């Protein structure tokens, strides 16, 4: 039988009730960096997604880029997340945590006075929120070999805490101009050692992080998010994007991944890329493919039924519609999202959207 958007399936070892994925969505509702009871309600409400990918959770104190985002590097944070996973599982859902290191997209005021780190000492020339105002991101320092190895240990530690918290797996955030994306691209990585220069060298950090996570979780429980044609956070478009990400995907194919989650085009923006290139990269992916960015109901139905994607991720639609799978299956109207309430605040614009009936 042909798969449909509403049929059960598998993402690696993770069984899913439908092919609708809740995309990772930064909401800035953790003022102490620890998941709150309000976050428990938020994720419980959306447990009918085939899979929830949580908002990015920083893997260490220096990995944070924005105020009020939750982490996964302390026992207290793991205990907070355990309440989230229990609520989602009790409601019949599946949930993985997105592991996040922002690299240079940060400011000392967010990371307890530390200097942000990056593959190279190049500014992101972007903005971040420090809890009071939007501020220019700081000039980072170039990571040493010891910094890199320590970061792999941070990924493994976060993965272990995620397992302890009861998640069904983890997603490595390698997209949107954050640390791993910064290592991948020649626009942000000007190193001349083993972590820069050639495409193979620039892919080493991504693969080291993936291997650290698989070392904790084993096969079929680790996914990765990529955004080949996105200039998010001013990361720049690599000089040889097709070759770079073709090589990265080829190396990822040698690992037992749960899924590859691809931002198609500009993150949250136009679905633009050189003709045929993203399609070529998608065809190279051996793991289950999660399509992301600007999908309508009709596009999602077609992507799954045609076999172009195993599942489709929705972001803003899940913010405003906790019962999105039911609405899409019935082709019911969708609540419009309240963009002014996306970041920070309390229950308003977070857990108060109406459901059908």
């Amino acid at each position: 039988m042909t798969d449909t958007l509403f049929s059960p399936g598998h993402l690696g070892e993770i069984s899913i009730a439908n092919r609708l994925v809740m995309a990772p969505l930064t909401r800035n509702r953790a003022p102490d960096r620890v998941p709150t009871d309000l976050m428990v309600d938020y994720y419980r409400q959306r447990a009918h997604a085939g899979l929830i990918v949580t908002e990015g959770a920083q893997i260490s104190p220096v990995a944070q880029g924005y105020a009020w985002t939750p982490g996964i590097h302390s026992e207290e944070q793991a205990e907070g997340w355990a309440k989230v996973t229990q609520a989602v599982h009790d409601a019949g859902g599946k949930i993985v945590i997105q592991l996040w290191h922002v690299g240079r997209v940060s400011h000392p005021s967010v990371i307890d006075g530390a200097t942000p780190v990056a593959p190279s000492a190049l500014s992101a020339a972007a903005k971040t929120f420090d809890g009071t105002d939007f501020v220019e991101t700081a000039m980072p320092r170039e990571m040493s070999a010891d910094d890199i190895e320590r970061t792999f240990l941070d990924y493994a530690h976060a993965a272990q805490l995620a397992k302890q918290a009861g998640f069904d797996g983890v997603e490595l955030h390698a997209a949107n101009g954050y640390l791993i994306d910064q290592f991948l691209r020649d626009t942000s990585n000007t190193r001349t050692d083993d972590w820069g220069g050639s495409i193979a060298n620039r892919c080493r950090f991504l693969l080291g992080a993936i291997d650290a996570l698989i070392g904790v979780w084993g096969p079929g429980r680790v996914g990765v998010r990529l955004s080949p044609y996105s200039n998010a956070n001013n990361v720049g478009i690599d000089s040889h994007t097709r070759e770079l990400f073709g090589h990265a995907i080829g190396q990822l194919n040698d690992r037992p991944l749960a899924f590859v989650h691809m931002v198609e085009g500009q993150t949250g923006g136009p679905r633009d890329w050189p003709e045929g290139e993203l399609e070529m990269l998608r065809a190279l992916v051996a793991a289950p493919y999660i399509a992301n960015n600007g999908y309508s109901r009709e596009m999602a139905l077609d992507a799954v039924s045609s076999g172009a994607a195993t599942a489709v991720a929705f972001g803003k639609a899940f913010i405003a519609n906790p019962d999105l799978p039911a609405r899409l299956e019935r082709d019911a109207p969708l609540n419009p999202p309240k963009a002014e309430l996306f970041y920070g605040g309390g229950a308003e614009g977070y857990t108060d959207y109406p459901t059908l009936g």
Side-chain angles (χ1 to χ4, degrees):
M1 294 178 62
T2 301
D3 290 330
T4 73
L5 190 61
F6 309 107
S7 64
H10 290 85
L11 295 169
E13 294 297 315
I14 306 169
S15 60
I16 54 175
N18 57 64
R19 310 307 181 87
L20 288 154
V21 173
M22 179 174 162
L25 297 156
T26 300
R27 303 304 307 274
N28 305 82
R29 253 73 170 193
D32 296 320
R33 306 175 189 175
V34 176
T36 64
D37 289 344
L38 188 62
M39 290 172 60
V40 174
D41 291 340
Y42 170 75
Y43 283 111
R44 180 196 291 116
Q45 289 176 352
R46 290 153 180 82
H48 293 298
L51 180 70
I52 292 173
V53 182
T54 73
E55 62 207 281
Q58 56 265 9
I59 63 167
S60 70
V62 77
Q64 185 170 358
Y66 309 89
W68 311 334
T69 58
I72 183 67
H73 52 83
S74 74
E75 291 290 334
E76 185 182 12
Q77 290 164 346
E79 291 169 5
W81 281 117
K83 297 177 184 177
V84 172
T85 63
Q86 185 65 56
V88 170
H89 291 154
D90 287 349
K94 297 292 175 68
I95 183 168
V96 301
I97 187 170
Q98 188 187 67
L99 302 181
W100 195 19
H101 194 311
V102 303
R104 67 185 189 177
V105 188
S106 190
H107 188 274
S109 61
V110 180
I111 51 179
D112 302 324
T115 300
V117 297
S120 301
L122 299 171
S123 173
K127 296 274 192 180
T128 188
F129 182 67
D130 68 359
T132 302
D133 204 353
F134 284 93
V135 296
E136 292 281 348
T137 53
M139 178 66 72
R141 64 174 180 84
E142 182 174 300
M143 295 174 75
S144 67
D146 286 345
D147 290 328
I148 290 171
E149 293 304 322
R150 191 177 305 112
T151 302
F152 292 154
L153 294 176
D154 289 339
Y155 274 113
H157 181 240
Q160 188 61 54
L161 288 175
K163 181 178 278 192
Q164 180 180 316
F167 284 98
D168 297 292
V170 297
E171 177 181 277
L172 178 64
H173 197 347
N176 296 355
Y178 296 117
L179 182 63
I180 294 176
D181 215 10
Q182 293 159 29
F183 266 94
L184 287 173
R185 301 178 191 234
D186 60 12
T187 51
S188 49
N189 182 347
T190 59
R191 302 174 75 102
T192 57
D193 62 2
D194 291 344
W195 303 96
S198 70
I199 282 175
N201 279 358
R202 285 184 277 124
C203 288
R204 287 185 66 214
F205 192 89
L206 163 66
L207 301 175
I210 279 285
D211 289 343
L213 303 185
I214 293 174
V216 174
W217 277 91
R221 297 282 177 177
V222 176
V224 61
R225 193 182 204 206
L226 302 171
S227 58
Y229 297 98
S230 175
N231 186 34
N233 291 301
N234 296 323
V235 73
I237 302 297
D238 189 83
S239 302
H240 301 91
T241 296
R242 182 179 60 186
E243 291 81 3
L244 168 63
F245 283 90
H247 179 83
I249 290 168
Q251 294 297 304
L252 291 170
N253 286 345
D254 292 336
R255 275 87 175 162
L257 297 183
F259 56 83
V260 171
H261 180 184
M262 190 88 80
V263 179
E264 298 177 353
Q266 291 287 350
T267 305
R271 293 175 53 80
D272 290 342
W273 54 83
E275 184 175 359
E277 284 199 11
L278 186 133
E279 292 80 2
M280 186 214 73
L281 292 175
R282 182 170 61 190
L284 294 176
V285 174
Y289 181 87
I290 300 177
N292 179 299
N293 200 31
Y295 272 75
S296 65
R297 178 180 187 272
E298 292 70 25
M299 290 168 64
L301 288 167
D302 180 67
V304 174
S305 64
S306 69
T310 304
V312 178
F314 287 81
K316 293 175 185 176
F318 258 119
I319 287 177
N321 300 274
D323 56 347
L324 184 65
R327 288 177 183 267
L328 292 182
E329 188 162 18
R330 301 181 198 179
D331 198 13
L334 301 184
N335 300 319
K338 302 170 185 175
E340 71 278 11
L341 300 173
F342 281 174
Y343 306 113
E348 185 183 6
Y350 189 60
T351 56
D352 62 347
Y353 284 102
T355 58
L356 289 172

